[in-house]
Amino acid sequence: MYPMTTLHFSVSWGDQERTVSFSEVSGLTMEAEVVEYRGGADPQFSTRKQPGLRKFSNVTLKRGIAPAVSGNGLFEWYNSISIGTVERRDVTVSLLNEEGDPVMAWKVRDAWPVKLEGPGLKSTGTDVAIESVEFACEGIEIETRS
């Protein structure tokens, strides 16, 4: 059995049946804070470490800009944000095998776009124009499939 490569994945959000193409996903990070504690009657002269609050990083998606790329609702979703209200959706990132079947998935819970970034433009450049979207979230769940 060989490790999976990172080049074959899909992204979807909300109740979309279809996936949206992206070239890069980053920030699928979960961590637990470490709380140091020492009881007053503890005979050891050191602290004990125990888990505290869990934290989840913002997730960033990047893709090349293509003419007539529309219909995924991303810009409408971002533009629907107003002070104190936002539509939260689940974003699913699935790692796919050679046949295109999901092997592992990260479900980014209650996500909402906090940042849209257009490409850096340069008149002498020949790079692909890349846009990115960053999501805040309330949690990340990992699902494995056999």
Side-chain angles (χ1 to χ4, degrees):
M1 172 108 26
Y2 297 102
M4 298 295 300
T5 62
T6 61
L7 62 90
H8 201 57
F9 61 92
S10 66
V11 178
S12 63
W13 54 70
D15 53 4
Q16 281 188 330
E17 291 296 319
R18 63 185 179 79
T19 60
V20 183
S21 296
F22 287 93
S23 59
E24 184 178 333
V25 177
S26 62
L28 295 170
T29 305
M30 304 174 283
E31 65 179 280
E33 290 181 346
V34 176
V35 176
E36 293 191 20
Y37 171 80
R38 181 177 181 275
D42 198 338
Q44 292 188 357
F45 192 65
S46 62
T47 59
R48 296 182 187 270
K49 294 182 182 184
Q50 55 190 25
L53 295 175
R54 296 187 312 163
K55 297 190 300 186
F56 306 95
S57 296
N58 286 355
V59 176
T60 302
L61 308 175
K62 294 183 180 183
R63 68 177 175 184
I65 296 176
V69 173
S70 63
N72 61 31
L74 178 60
F75 300 114
E76 293 82 4
W77 185 13
Y78 180 80
N79 288 332
S80 71
I81 297 171
S82 61
I83 295 176
T85 62
V86 65
E87 179 185 350
R88 295 172 187 264
R89 302 179 186 172
D90 291 341
V91 175
T92 303
V93 178
S94 299
L95 183 62
L96 308 175
N97 63 17
E98 295 81 13
E99 291 79 35
D101 299 321
V103 174
M104 188 170 195
W106 292 262
K107 187 173 188 177
V108 182
R109 292 187 303 104
D110 296 325
W112 53 283
V114 294
K115 181 178 180 182
L116 295 176
E117 185 175 350
L121 304 174
K122 186 176 173 184
S123 64
T124 59
T126 59
D127 296 339
V128 172
I130 302 290
E131 66 179 348
S132 67
V133 58
E134 183 177 328
F135 293 103
C137 68
E138 298 296 325
I140 300 174
E141 298 171 1
I142 300 175
E143 299 173 358
T144 56
R145 299 183 176 118
S146 320

